[in-house]
Amino acid sequence: MKKIISKMTILTVASTLVFNSLSAQKNTGKIKFLNRPLIKTIYTADPSAHVFNGKIYIYPSHDIDAGVPENDNGDHFAMRDYHILSLDHIGGKVTDNGVALDINNIPWAGKQLWAPDAAFKNGKYFLYFPAKNKEGVFQIGCATSDKPAGPFKANPHPIAGSYSIDPAVFVDDDGSAYMYFGGIWGGQLQRWQTGKYEANGSKTDLHNDKAPAISCRVAKLDKSMMEIDGKVHNALIVDSAGHELLGGDHDRRFFEGSWMHKYKGKYYLTYSTGDTHFLAYAVGSSPMGPFVYAGHFMQPVQGWTTHHSIIKFNNKWYIFYHDTELSGKTHLRNVKVTELHHLDNGKIEMINTYTSSDK
Ligand code: FUB
């Protein structure tokens, strides 16, 4: 127990030091944010971006101050609806397309509409979203529309076999669709280790240092795009020797917020390391994994952690992410975008979301 507490203390102190040093640098005017918020009229987070009909659509969480006290489980992230943003090109005007889906119109959902994603197939748009059901257990729902910005109509039940949070749907070149999902701690993934929800299961999975880290889940979607086809698998992240990353490997292990993109025939699984605040990536030859850990590609942002997506638009790659520039509060975030660079050796260039004003 002592060991756990001291480890947590070290982690907390380390992240506080990073945060404080960034704040100090900001206060002295030495560094600036690399990018400005894409929209300032509402708080937005967890931006899942897609290119539909030549336009960029962003499917974010819509952060609100719901008056729920902050706690360890993230109950203060009490979002109630989704707004979809759109823009014609990077740097162009960002449109808030209004409410696309409200929690009152999701029959099974109780609370907390967290990070969504979207996909398009056979003339239909699909919105995938996590919410706590009426029993307080996160599951993933699907809603459909004939327009990319909605409004979306929710299916009456969550996707059978889905659980936890942060769905990211990837449609491969052959039309096969895969859903990556899961997040530990407040996202409850650690409570699904037996295949059933263990209400009294581990709170975080941050203390099983010697066991393989709980990994992101991946499942193939069926032709309807609204159901899982077959089994849910672990998207294994291994080191260069083929060993699964361990729970105590906080700098590299999966925590939440996965995304998939394909580059030069390889599958790049990108994700947040959570309590150590990095974005990391692992590369595989199949969308189901395993994925070999390849490094970090984004430094910590202002806020507790970030959540991202990656798209190719007009032959350039972009990453959408969030920080807390507008509010300074962890639950009131704002989405941003910056260019992402793939290097010739298959690596992704590191992004620092702060920039020196001297540059
Ligand atoms: O927005 C709520 C949660 O915070 C998301 O589901 C996580 O990825 C984190 O960004």
Side-chain angles (χ1 to χ4, degrees):
M1 187 67 183
K2 253 193 192 156
K3 227 175 166 186
I4 290 169
I5 292 172
S6 66
K7 188 126 213 186
M8 286 305 287
T9 312
I10 291 168
L11 284 173
T12 313
V13 171
S15 15
T16 310
L17 284 177
V18 170
F19 185 77
N20 286 347
S21 109
L22 289 171
S23 305
Q25 289 178 66
K26 262 181 279 150
N27 291 338
T28 57
K30 277 199 190 125
I31 59 166
K32 293 200 265 186
F33 290 100
L34 180 62
N35 300 287
R36 299 311 319 279
L38 286 174
I39 188 158
K40 294 182 182 170
T41 46
I42 56 172
Y43 291 112
T44 51
D46 310 320
S48 292
H50 290 275
V51 181
F52 295 134
N53 307 320
K55 227 170 134 157
I56 301 168
Y57 289 87
I58 308 171
Y59 299 80
S61 299
H62 174 201
D63 282 356
I64 51 166
D65 198 345
V68 179
E70 182 162 345
N71 65 20
D72 233 18
N73 278 335
D75 287 349
H76 49 302
F77 292 100
M79 300 82 111
R80 300 194 55 83
D81 63 18
Y82 292 113
H83 283 227
I84 290 151
L85 312 177
S86 54
L87 54 162
D88 288 337
H89 57 90
I90 300 290
K93 181 178 175 288
V94 177
T95 303
D96 169 1
N97 292 282
V99 177
L101 180 64
D102 188 287
I103 195 155
N104 292 326
N105 298 322
I106 307 170
W108 60 271
K111 58 182 178 180
Q112 293 179 286
L113 294 185
W114 283 15
D117 191 21
F120 173 76
K121 201 167 173 183
N122 300 333
K124 237 189 199 173
Y125 295 89
F126 300 88
L127 182 72
Y128 302 90
F129 59 91
K132 277 190 182 152
N133 64 21
K134 313 266 182 214
E135 284 75 49
V137 179
F138 269 118
Q139 281 195 276
I140 296 167
C142 184
T144 53
S145 177
D146 54 8
K147 294 196 280 298
F152 282 85
K153 185 170 169 31
N155 290 346
H157 304 288
I159 298 174
S162 74
Y163 49 85
S164 193
I165 58 166
D166 292 356
V169 172
F170 166 73
V171 182
D172 207 348
D173 302 332
D174 66 357
S176 305
Y178 302 84
M179 182 167 76
Y180 301 83
F181 61 95
I184 61 170
W185 204 334
Q188 302 175 338
L189 183 60
Q190 70 284 356
R191 297 202 165 150
W192 288 91
Q193 287 307 90
T194 60
K196 282 198 186 124
Y197 184 71
E198 306 288 339
N200 297 318
S202 156
K203 197 169 169 189
T204 65
D205 189 49
L206 286 177
H207 314 309
N208 296 324
D209 291 3
K210 299 268 157 36
I214 290 177
S215 200
C216 166
R217 303 292 201 261
V218 55
K220 209 164 176 191
L221 294 178
D222 73 4
K223 285 206 174 101
S224 75
M225 295 287 280
M226 297 188 287
E227 296 296 338
I228 288 172
D229 185 6
K231 280 192 178 160
V232 171
H233 300 264
N234 288 334
L236 288 186
I237 301 170
V238 298
D239 63 19
S240 51
H243 303 303
E244 279 181 62
L245 297 188
L246 298 181
D249 197 346
H250 296 267
D251 270 353
R252 303 194 297 172
R253 62 161 295 170
F254 170 79
F255 187 106
E256 64 181 9
S258 53
W259 188 259
M260 171 57 63
H261 77 279
K262 197 173 181 180
Y263 179 74
K264 292 195 174 166
K266 293 278 186 208
Y267 296 87
Y268 282 68
L269 178 69
T270 46
Y271 57 92
S272 168
T273 63
D275 58 322
T276 51
H277 310 281
F278 294 106
L279 288 183
Y281 66 114
V283 183
S285 304
S286 151
M288 304 297 278
F291 301 95
V292 180
Y293 180 82
H296 295 150
F297 68 100
M298 188 181 263
Q299 297 286 358
V301 297
Q302 175 177 292
W304 196 76
T305 185
T306 196
H307 181 123
H308 75 293
S309 63
I310 294 169
I311 59 166
K312 191 176 184 186
F313 184 71
N314 287 346
N315 277 324
K316 284 185 173 179
W317 289 91
Y318 294 95
I319 174 167
F320 291 74
Y321 65 102
H322 70 225
D323 65 19
T324 58
E325 179 180 347
L326 288 180
S327 76
K329 295 186 178 148
T330 45
H331 68 299
L332 298 176
R333 300 159 292 179
N334 45 259
V335 300
K336 298 186 167 183
V337 63
T338 201
E339 209 176 325
L340 175 131
H341 297 281
H342 287 278
L343 304 176
D344 289 344
N345 60 4
K347 297 268 180 192
I348 301 177
E349 192 172 80
M350 176 62 86
I351 299 164
N352 187 345
T353 59
Y354 297 90
T355 181
S356 161
S357 52
D358 301 334
K359 275 187 189 165

